[in-house]
Amino acid sequence: MKALAVFPSRREVRIIDHATPQVTGSRQVKVRVLEVGLCGTDREIAAFDYGTPPAGSDYLVLGHESLCQVVETGPEVRRLRPGDLAVLMVRRGCSHPECLACPAGRPDFCYTGEFTERGIKGEHGFMTTFVVEDESHVVPVPPALREVGVLTEPLTIAQKALAQVWEVQQRLPWACHGALEAGPGACHRAVVLGAGPVGLLGAMALVAAGFDTTVYSRGGEHSDKASLTESFGARFVPAESRSVDDLAAVTGNVDLVYEATGASRVAFDMLRLLGPNAVFVFTGVPGRKAPIEVAADLIMRRLVLHNQVILGTVNAPRQSYEDAIRDLGVFLDRWPGALRGLITLRVALDEGPRLLRERPAGIKTVVVPQ
Ligand code: BGC
């Protein structure tokens, strides 16, 4: 079967012929890959800055944001049947007995760094026709999400972040009197940095949780990104014409920042303006660039005097996949046009290598393997 692979030692990205996997274990599931999202991590791997082929292979099949259909199940598989839609999880735990997280089912918090990630680190990914996977890493998706289910994985990043925010904020009186039915973020203000797929899906999750939400991004006041953002009830502030200080004047006191750009300049500028008792969540991985100057004393002073929390978060557990699938259903009910509008380009597998090099305009590019 065809697959899109990266050969790091030869610095090549191309379509290859890859062996079709078979079900060999009783708890395994074979899926046909319907769609695979392209993200910044894939671009980094295709630029040979990141990514590791499986042991013994000179190439890595790319792709970790999937939507699949089950075609075959082992005899002991209980939760899935042929025909079901499903999303495959990305990370597999390390086997070190001293790792506290992996044996407890939380490889997203792996201590040793020796986890593997499908399509990223040590295991082939999903940019191909068939994949075989243990049932524990396959999450069912309802048929109503056929068009948008490929957005599950990028939304898991926000789900894991929010689950941590709720836990962290139990340290103080945070819930608003009389506004609880509007969601756990009611009467709080959130800023999202970046209007890529992770940022916009995060912004939808924040609006759904009741936050007054502002997205700060390049894109222009009258851009498609701006109108898409406004269509689901968030504010859009264009980074080209408004500074981070202007942004703070528009939003007022900021209780939560969800950073989804990997741009350190904007992030540390925003950190200066974080409000009392607020949480700043970092999700973006910056590229290798020259060091920047930061207002370290001011930031440190405010962190202490305002009880602020800085939280970095990566990857996600099964619970976040289930939460993301539930929320995609909510978003599709409330904002069908905005949610569908996040997928701006669908291309065949053969187009993949070119699209990894060129950065197409729009929001999310999805590869359709067949
Ligand atoms: C993926 C995560 C992964 C991270 C680091 C991201 O693009 O969404 O699942 O842990 O890359 O490899």
Side-chain angles (χ1 to χ4, degrees):
M1 58 185 188
K2 281 208 271 185
L4 195 163
V6 179
F7 293 77
S9 57
R10 288 190 250 152
R11 297 179 79 83
E12 273 177 29
V13 181
R14 60 182 165 87
I15 305 294
I16 58 160
D17 189 31
H18 184 61
T20 306
Q22 308 296 340
V23 171
T24 53
S26 57
R27 292 209 165 83
Q28 285 182 332
V29 178
K30 182 173 179 177
V31 298
R32 176 189 296 280
V33 182
L34 302 176
E35 297 193 326
V36 189
L38 280 185
C39 82
T41 302
D42 299 314
R43 292 206 165 80
E44 265 188 64
I45 299 172
F48 318 106
D49 286 340
Y50 195 56
T52 318
S57 167
D58 59 347
Y59 65 86
L60 170 73
V61 175
L62 266 186
H64 61 277
E65 299 180 1
S66 68
L67 177 68
C68 306
Q69 184 159 39
V70 176
V71 291
E72 188 188 334
T73 55
E76 283 177 53
V77 170
R78 295 282 166 265
R79 280 182 288 196
L80 294 144
R81 284 204 231 132
D84 287 352
L85 294 181
V87 168
L88 308 182
M89 292 170 61
V90 178
R91 191 175 286 193
R92 312 288 171 263
C94 72
S95 51
H96 287 272
E98 72 272 22
C99 179
L100 297 175
C102 292
R106 289 302 300 262
D108 58 309
F109 281 117
C110 178
Y111 279 86
T112 68
E114 292 187 21
F115 56 81
T116 59
E117 287 182 331
R118 295 207 69 156
I120 302 175
K121 182 175 179 280
E123 288 200 53
H124 289 309
F126 312 136
M127 280 199 202
T128 186
T129 312
F130 294 110
V131 174
V132 169
E133 187 51 274
D134 191 88
E135 180 182 21
S136 59
H137 300 126
V138 187
V139 190
V141 170
L145 298 184
R146 171 66 181 84
E147 250 184 294
V148 293
V150 70
L151 299 172
T152 302
E153 199 277 342
L155 179 56
T156 62
I157 307 298
Q159 299 294 353
K160 177 179 170 185
L162 278 178
Q164 292 174 86
V165 168
W166 308 143
E167 281 187 35
V168 168
Q169 294 307 66
Q170 285 186 27
R171 67 196 171 124
L172 63 110
W174 153 278
C176 272
H177 299 296
L180 264 187
E181 60 289 356
C187 75
H188 294 292
R189 298 197 185 98
V191 166
V192 175
L193 301 178
V198 172
L200 289 173
L201 285 163
M204 286 183 181
L206 292 167
V207 173
F211 283 96
D212 172 291
T213 306
T214 304
V215 175
Y216 182 69
S217 167
R218 280 186 294 204
E221 210 165 339
H222 305 292
S223 62
D224 292 349
K225 276 189 178 168
S227 48
L228 189 140
T229 303
E230 281 151 12
S231 75
F232 65 83
R235 210 175 284 110
F236 187 87
V237 174
E240 292 90 345
S241 51
R242 310 288 285 275
S243 69
V244 168
D245 296 83
D246 296 341
L247 167 72
V250 172
T251 56
N253 206 28
V254 176
D255 302 295
L256 176 69
V257 176
Y258 184 71
E259 179 279 330
T261 58
S264 54
R265 172 80 284 148
V266 178
F268 281 85
D269 262 4
M270 189 66 218
L271 195 48
R272 271 186 311 123
L273 301 165
L274 200 60
N277 307 323
V279 184
F280 194 110
V281 179
F282 279 93
T283 76
V285 181
R288 293 187 194 100
K289 289 187 221 106
I292 60 160
E293 242 176 60
V294 296
D297 283 351
L298 175 65
I299 290 172
M300 191 165 154
R301 188 184 164 83
R302 288 183 58 88
L303 269 167
V304 172
L305 297 180
H306 294 289
N307 298 295
Q308 296 165 337
V309 173
I310 301 180
L311 190 113
T313 185
V314 69
N315 195 255
R318 189 175 177 106
Q319 183 62 54
S320 300
Y321 280 74
E322 290 169 359
D323 293 345
I325 290 163
R326 183 206 58 221
D327 267 7
L328 283 178
V330 172
F331 302 169
L332 194 61
D333 268 0
R334 289 181 67 177
W335 316 300
L339 186 64
R340 292 192 184 108
L342 294 180
I343 301 174
T344 41
L345 188 63
R346 282 187 163 86
V347 297
L349 189 69
D350 293 345
E351 295 285 295
R354 180 174 67 78
L355 286 160
L356 282 162
R357 280 192 311 273
E358 297 166 8
R359 202 172 238 290
I363 302 169
K364 172 62 77 185
T365 298
V366 166
V367 170
V368 183
Q370 42 259 313

